[in-house]
Amino acid sequence: MEEGIGGLRHLYMTVFLSGFASLMVIPAITDITMLALCPGQDECSLAIYLSGFQQAIIGLGTVVMTPLIGNLSDVYGRKSLLTVPLTLSIIPLVILAYSRETNFFYAYFALRTLTAMVCEGSINCLTLAYVADTVSERERVSAFGILAGFLSASFVCGTLAARFLSTASTFQVAAFTSMLATIYMRVFLKESLPGGDGTLRQPILKGGSDAIEEDGYSPETKQVYKKVPSAGDLICLLRSSKTLSQAAIVSFFQSLAEGGLQASLMYFLKARFHFNKNQFADLMLIVGISGTVSQLLFMPMLAPVIGEEKLLSIGLLLGSFNMFLNSISWAVWVPYAATLFSAFGFLVQPSIRSIVSKQVGPNEQGKAQGCISGISSFANIVSPLIFSPLTALFLSEEAPFYFPGFSIMCIGLAMIIGFVQSTMIRASPISSHKISNIISVDST
């Protein structure tokens, strides 16, 4: 099914609509959380701990669900599995679109936690596997960058919309757009499977051995495709390639830093500079624009010249500078100026995903991307356990010394570790046949 980058237009639109719906509510959710838990206060340790708890629980669920969904998509198709997270993501948005009262906030919080276990990493994992099915290896890094660019563009547009909409209207528009994304995907997006024929190896609602054997697949092949990936399978997959293992380590530390930023930065800025919804929206708008430019312009231009390995290292190094600058913010304009470095941080994940996709064959794309997403999710479990208490401590009067941005500096150190590991990566693609044999031998 290799149609080139141009054949991904419906996938790009689906990602844009889904991202627009989920990202436009971010500037408003901090104020809603604070209003529900600590009305009238600028500092709220309960909000920080509760957000960190939610992030950890979501990460725990996605560690299990993302590799599973990625592996199942190798059998049932990317589109079929993509329907599940897109549909579930509608539910929490509808709740806050109806009301933002305290009881509805708690209902949103509970359902958002449950649905995000399936949605959080699965949409990204499945769309990346779809790109790997559709685009040749030579064009893949550019396609991953463009995909990430559309997500950043949805971030910009969603943040811009939130800047001018009321809180109630923000959630109503987000709920409607989330529904539209699901419908658009079901109507326009073609099914995709490894192997390039676009034919389902087994319908998702039909079981039994006949469906597979009628298509010409042997019982051994059926066993491989129907098997739910165990931890041993995923470890064996990582061990099959040194480059794959190194990329997984980099992904862990980058996701650890990203999760820490989510758990800490907004509460730090609210306590330090009394940021409100509109200021958050302005900051996110600048970050989104810089990320869109870097992914849609810089990545397609630079990746073929210097390679994704060097892009990865550059992104991590300059991303850490962003963290360090935020941690010592002495004026309200400093976080805005730091976004100059955050633009390069957007190059990290597309580079990692491109490196990973080249280490496996077409039949392992869903499993490999799901494995990396699972590792990122595990980092999101660990991250709030470290950074939420650290943020709450250094924003309180009980801090051992005065340094409100101490947790943000520690996040930068996590990115530096990722940078050091990234400098050791040397791409050396290995065949799908080799990996399949390793996994088969290990399983037996």
Side-chain angles (χ1 to χ4, degrees):
M1 190 182 161
E2 289 194 358
E3 301 175 3
I5 294 176
L8 297 172
R9 59 188 181 277
H10 294 310
L11 180 70
Y12 291 150
M13 181 55 69
T14 299
V15 168
F16 178 85
L17 292 172
S18 173
F20 180 88
S22 61
L23 296 170
M24 73 179 299
V25 303
I26 293 177
I29 199 64
T30 302
D31 284 345
I32 291 176
T33 304
M34 295 284 287
L35 186 63
L37 301 177
C38 306
Q41 298 181 29
D42 286 330
E43 298 180 22
C44 182
S45 296
L46 178 59
I48 296 173
Y49 283 118
L50 195 61
S51 297
F53 170 78
Q54 183 188 49
Q55 188 176 332
I57 295 297
I58 290 172
L60 184 62
T62 53
V63 165
V64 177
M65 294 303 300
T66 308
L68 173 61
I69 289 174
N71 194 55
L72 290 175
S73 74
D74 288 334
V75 186
Y76 300 114
R78 319 299 185 200
K79 178 180 177 179
S80 300
L81 270 296
L82 192 56
T83 305
V84 177
L86 286 178
T87 302
L88 290 176
S89 64
I90 298 170
I91 301 172
L93 296 174
V94 170
I95 293 174
L96 288 187
Y98 180 77
S99 175
R100 272 75 48 205
E101 295 179 359
T102 302
N103 290 338
F104 286 92
F105 167 78
Y106 284 118
Y108 162 84
F109 182 88
L111 287 173
R112 158 69 180 158
T113 303
L114 292 174
T115 57
M117 291 180 183
V118 178
C119 306
E120 191 99 321
S122 299
I123 296 175
N124 190 42
C125 165
L126 294 171
T127 53
L128 289 166
Y130 192 103
V131 170
D133 294 340
T134 309
V135 178
S136 66
E137 195 172 286
R138 181 174 56 85
E139 298 179 305
R140 203 169 286 168
V141 63
S142 296
F144 284 150
I146 294 171
L147 180 68
F150 269 84
L151 185 60
S152 296
S154 70
F155 181 77
V156 172
C157 295
T159 304
L160 190 61
R163 182 70 174 80
F164 298 103
L165 291 173
S166 66
T167 301
S169 299
T170 296
F171 283 95
Q172 290 165 1
V173 171
F176 172 78
T177 308
S178 186
M179 296 177 194
L180 182 62
T182 307
I183 295 170
Y184 182 92
M185 184 274 298
R186 291 301 305 173
V187 173
F188 293 106
L189 190 66
K190 294 180 181 179
E191 186 57 273
S192 169
L193 276 170
D197 55 7
T199 304
L200 284 175
R201 297 173 190 261
Q202 178 163 325
I204 196 166
L205 296 179
K206 184 177 179 180
S209 60
D210 292 341
I212 297 179
E213 293 174 354
E214 288 173 3
D215 287 339
Y217 289 90
S218 66
E220 290 81 4
T221 305
K222 177 184 73 173
Q223 182 180 2
V224 171
Y225 277 102
K226 292 192 73 176
K227 184 179 178 182
V228 175
S230 66
D233 291 331
L234 300 180
I235 292 171
C236 187
L237 179 67
L238 293 175
R239 289 172 55 195
S240 66
S241 165
K242 182 179 180 181
T243 299
L244 193 60
S245 301
Q246 291 171 330
I249 294 171
V250 173
S251 183
F252 174 83
F253 282 103
Q254 191 271 339
S255 298
L256 186 72
E258 188 177 284
L261 199 64
Q262 292 175 6
S264 306
L265 184 61
M266 286 192 174
Y267 294 104
F268 165 71
L269 294 176
K270 192 169 185 66
R272 186 85 170 88
F273 301 114
H274 308 289
F275 264 42
N276 57 32
K277 173 195 167 185
N278 289 338
Q279 287 174 304
F280 282 132
D282 292 340
L283 180 62
M284 292 172 63
L285 184 61
I286 297 171
V287 171
I289 291 173
S290 61
T292 303
V293 171
S294 68
Q295 289 165 334
L296 293 181
L297 182 62
F298 295 157
M299 194 154 198
M301 289 173 56
L302 296 177
V305 178
I306 67 175
E308 51 263 50
E309 295 80 23
K310 290 183 180 178
L311 272 182
L312 174 61
S313 297
I314 292 170
L316 287 165
L317 181 61
L318 296 181
S320 66
F321 289 169
N322 172 45
M323 305 298 177
F324 292 139
L325 193 55
N326 270 302
S327 71
I328 58 172
S329 296
W330 60 91
V332 72
W333 57 267
V334 176
Y336 296 98
T339 59
L340 174 66
F341 297 108
S342 70
F344 295 93
F346 283 87
L347 303 176
V348 173
Q349 274 299 322
S351 298
I352 292 174
R353 299 300 184 149
S354 178
I355 291 169
V356 168
S357 74
K358 293 179 180 180
Q359 300 304 303
V360 299
N363 292 334
E364 291 91 14
Q365 289 296 331
K367 182 184 292 184
Q369 297 295 348
C371 179
I372 296 299
S373 295
I375 290 169
S376 298
S377 298
F378 178 70
N380 285 331
I381 298 174
V382 177
S383 185
L385 300 179
I386 299 172
F387 296 112
S388 290
L390 204 59
T391 302
L393 175 62
F394 278 88
L395 291 179
S396 70
E397 296 179 356
E398 288 78 26
F401 53 90
Y402 182 76
F403 191 172
F406 182 76
S407 62
I408 310 296
M409 179 166 284
C410 292
I411 292 169
L413 292 175
M415 292 199 77
I416 287 293
I417 295 173
F419 163 73
V420 172
Q421 180 64 50
S422 72
T423 60
M424 304 177 188
I425 293 179
R426 300 291 183 270
S428 55
I430 60 176
S431 68
S432 169
H433 178 71
K434 178 180 177 183
I435 293 178
S436 297
N437 286 344
I438 294 172
I439 294 176
S440 297
V441 170
D442 183 75
S443 299
T444 56

